[in-house]
Amino acid sequence: MDLGLKGKKAIICASSRGLGKGCAEALAEAGCDIVLNGRNETVLEETRTLLQNRFGVSVAAIAADVSTREGQEALLAACPDPDILVNNNGGPPRRDYSELDRAALMEGVVQNFVTPIELIQVVVPGMKERGFGRIVNITSLSVKMPIEGLDLSSGARAGLTAFLAGVCRQLAPHGVTVNNLLPGKMDTDRLKGGFERAAQQSGKSIEDVRAAQAAEIPARRFGSAEEFGQTCAFLCSRHAGYITGQNILMDGGLYPAAF
């Protein structure tokens, strides 16, 4: 399918690896010029070279913390007028709510609530003027189905979802859509870290923990960054202009609800 994105410009936050990288690959495949972002310069450059060589599009790599004003300014300097913004950032580490002090709470809120809004505020005027814009926020299944120890991440991302529920209706008449992608258990480094913790706590092998968790998912497997990225690319396409304000679960059926 031609997504109608050739020549469009995309900023993908936290995209040197994992789900962000999957989105960058899919958008590059669709013909977008890409601005990558990450904190590890070596990994970031590897991803930049891979995408540029494989897809022949323009790929810039900005090593920065997107949660900081300086990081945001660097991204926007590389691409002042993006057609696509994919908001992504690492979530706070797993921690019981009773252990969170004020500093930790504020950091989580800035990472997963304030930062996406700040970027949206800057890029939307140009999108409205051009009559086309696609904003995709990578949130989490935990927005709908809380996960123990991820309360701060869940709360901040749920807040972002509620905040943008009204904003997306304001932007819809201008050809600008805002949607959220909610990953469940995806085969990423973050998930593998969870296997290691569970194995240490239970005394089971990592392989046994992995198999047991996969068995809990109706699809009987974990999701891939590639399929996640392709879904992101579709939401950014010319075919998805009538989809806005939606929370798209990518969890293999793990969330047990009809609505």
Side-chain angles (χ1 to χ4, degrees):
M1 180 187 293
D2 180 3
L3 299 183
L5 294 177
K6 188 173 183 179
K8 299 292 187 185
K9 301 172 185 174
I11 294 175
I12 306 103
C13 302
S15 49
S16 62
R17 65 179 78 194
L19 300 181
K21 180 181 177 182
C23 295
E25 288 181 335
L27 288 168
E29 182 181 19
C32 293
D33 291 330
I34 302 294
V35 175
L36 295 170
N37 163 243
R39 301 191 197 189
N40 186 312
E41 293 187 19
T42 301
V43 175
L44 188 62
E45 180 57 25
E46 288 173 355
T47 301
R48 188 198 70 79
T49 301
L50 171 70
L51 296 188
Q52 191 158 288
N53 291 345
R54 184 177 175 189
F55 300 112
V57 295
S58 172
V59 184
I62 305 300
D65 178 355
V66 72
S67 298
T68 65
R69 181 64 67 186
E70 295 78 14
Q72 293 175 22
E73 289 174 352
L75 278 176
L76 293 164
C79 185
D81 55 349
D83 303 291
I84 295 166
L85 170 65
V86 179
N87 278 312
N88 186 32
N89 207 352
R94 185 182 293 264
R95 187 183 300 175
D96 188 80
Y97 81 95
S98 62
E99 299 172 357
L100 297 168
D101 58 18
R102 187 179 183 89
L105 288 167
M106 293 304 296
E107 183 178 4
V109 170
V110 168
Q111 285 179 332
N112 297 137
F113 176 78
V114 174
T115 295
I117 294 170
E118 289 178 333
L119 287 169
I120 289 169
Q121 288 174 324
V122 176
V123 305
V124 155
M127 291 178 173
K128 289 171 63 176
E129 185 177 334
R130 293 187 297 276
F132 180 93
R134 299 288 186 263
I135 296 166
V136 176
N137 306 296
I138 299 177
T139 61
S140 173
L141 168 66
S142 68
V143 168
K144 283 182 166 286
M145 190 173 81
I147 299 171
E148 184 179 350
L150 294 182
D151 311 287
L152 177 53
S153 174
S154 304
R157 296 183 198 277
L160 177 68
T161 303
F163 186 100
L164 295 176
V167 173
C168 71
R169 271 80 188 176
Q170 291 179 248
L171 301 181
H174 305 282
V176 180
T177 68
V178 183
N179 291 292
N180 308 304
L181 270 177
L182 284 59
K185 294 190 175 183
M186 312 298 288
D187 201 359
T188 62
D189 290 340
R190 187 176 177 90
L191 185 66
K192 292 169 187 173
F195 295 154
E196 292 171 357
R197 281 194 307 273
Q200 290 173 354
Q201 293 170 356
S202 66
K204 298 178 181 178
S205 69
I206 292 176
E207 292 74 18
D208 286 345
V209 169
R210 180 183 177 92
Q213 291 195 21
E216 296 172 355
I217 303 168
R220 298 295 187 267
R221 67 177 180 87
F222 303 112
S224 72
E226 291 75 18
E227 62 191 328
F228 187 88
Q230 292 294 335
T231 303
C232 177
F234 177 77
L235 289 175
C236 295
S237 75
R238 61 183 174 89
H239 306 294
Y242 209 54
I243 303 173
T244 197
Q246 300 305 303
N247 291 293
I248 310 299
L249 279 166
M250 292 197 68
D251 67 347
L254 185 60
Y255 179 63
F259 303 102

